[in-house]
Amino acid sequence: MDTNSPQATKKCPYCAQEIHVDAVKCRFCGEWVTQQSAQPVAAPLPMPPGGTVPGLDPYQMMMVYEQGFDLNRIPAAQREEFKKHTILETFSVGGAIVLHFLTLGIFTMIFMGLKHSKLPRVRSDDFRAGRAIGFLFIPFFNFYWIFVFWLRLADRINFQFRLRNLPPPVTRGLVLAAVIVGIIPYVGLVSWLILYPIMISEIQGACNLLATGGARN
């Protein structure tokens, strides 16, 4: 286009009227059209994947579930991303305990294991349900994995409440005690009859709050 020609025109970006190509202000709507030459605003960057937070090194990320970790060190936008869970349905706490007894704990392992896939991945070593449940069936290794299974579930649920400025609902010490006592021959029956039902009650009660929106910030 010959910009020196008096007939050379362009459309006003505001009112779509034809104006001279060199015009700096539209004679129809009065808007300054030279503002369009300003540099476009960069689109926001996507949130980094789980296990990566700007300003935190890998060691600091491994400490993110600790009670004393300052959540203000995580950018506000990413804290909102970490709140996005898929625990959308409630389940009777009493029903979960009854099924724990009726299935000799099998229901508990599967039902609670599935929750690992419904919680957002925060740390790089957070795992999903398939790994959570599957590793429990590996002989000998499962003596270690059962600790990881339950303690990480407690940490991930408590983290959801801490993000909402609410007290953690799952007693980590109780979870640890239930697992330790539970793997001791004969004595483990006490854990199965007493400690596990209490732990189930705390975890499922917390999940019900997340599902109903009762845990809000």
Side-chain angles (χ1 to χ4, degrees), residues 146-164:
I146 194 169
F147 285 90
V148 179
F149 177 102
W150 284 110
L151 291 174
R152 184 61 59 85
L153 182 59
D155 287 340
R156 295 176 77 179
I157 291 174
N158 284 340
F159 186 71
Q160 289 298 309
F161 281 77
R162 290 174 56 219
L163 286 171
R164 293 163 171 79

Side-chain angles (χ1 to χ4, degrees), residues 84-88 114-120 128 156:
K84 295 179 180 178
H85 60 82
T86 57
I87 300 176
L88 306 177
L114 292 174
K115 297 185 188 302
H116 281 285
S117 286
K118 298 181 178 182
L119 293 163
R128 300 180 67 80
R156 295 176 77 179

Side-chain angles (χ1 to χ4, degrees), residues 21-216:
V21 69
D22 293 327
V24 295
K25 187 175 183 180
C26 178
R27 64 190 180 91
F28 296 99
C29 66
E31 292 288 347
W32 293 91
V33 295
T34 53
Q35 293 176 351
Q36 297 302 307
S37 62
Q39 291 294 327
V41 178
L45 295 175
M47 299 306 298
T52 305
V53 171
L56 297 182
D57 59 38
Y59 173 76
Q60 291 170 326
M61 279 305 304
M62 294 300 289
M63 304 297 291
V64 73
Y65 288 145
E66 297 291 331
Q67 184 67 31
F69 184 86
D70 183 8
L71 295 182
N72 290 321
R73 299 174 66 183
I74 302 176
Q78 191 153 7
R79 290 202 301 270
E80 290 302 314
E81 287 296 310
F82 286 157
K83 288 181 181 179
K84 295 179 180 178
H85 60 82
T86 57
I87 300 176
L88 306 177
E89 297 179 353
T90 62
F91 193 88
S92 168
V93 172
I97 294 174
V98 170
L99 287 170
H100 167 72
F101 290 129
L102 291 178
T103 63
L104 303 180
I106 295 176
F107 167 83
T108 302
M109 293 300 179
I110 296 176
F111 183 65
M112 294 299 176
L114 292 174
K115 297 185 188 302
H116 281 285
S117 286
K118 298 181 178 182
L119 293 163
R121 184 168 174 259
V122 177
R123 282 176 35 168
S124 59
D125 60 345
D126 283 340
F127 43 86
R128 300 180 67 80
R131 182 179 171 190
I133 300 170
F135 281 9
L136 290 175
F137 293 92
I138 301 177
F140 302 110
F141 179 78
N142 54 8
F143 285 101
Y144 156 76
W145 187 251
I146 194 169
F147 285 90
V148 179
F149 177 102
W150 284 110
L151 291 174
R152 184 61 59 85
L153 182 59
D155 287 340
R156 295 176 77 179
I157 291 174
N158 284 340
F159 186 71
Q160 289 298 309
F161 281 77
R162 290 174 56 219
L163 286 171
R164 293 163 171 79
N165 297 316
L166 297 171
V170 182
T171 308
R172 201 174 192 273
L174 169 66
V175 174
L176 182 59
V179 176
I180 292 175
V181 176
I183 63 175
I184 301 175
Y186 304 111
V187 181
L189 184 62
V190 175
S191 179
W192 185 76
L193 288 173
I194 300 175
L195 298 181
Y196 265 85
I198 298 174
M199 179 175 68
I200 293 169
S201 175
E202 288 191 350
I203 292 176
Q204 189 56 46
C207 289
N208 286 345
L209 285 175
L210 290 173
T212 59
R216 290 182 178 177

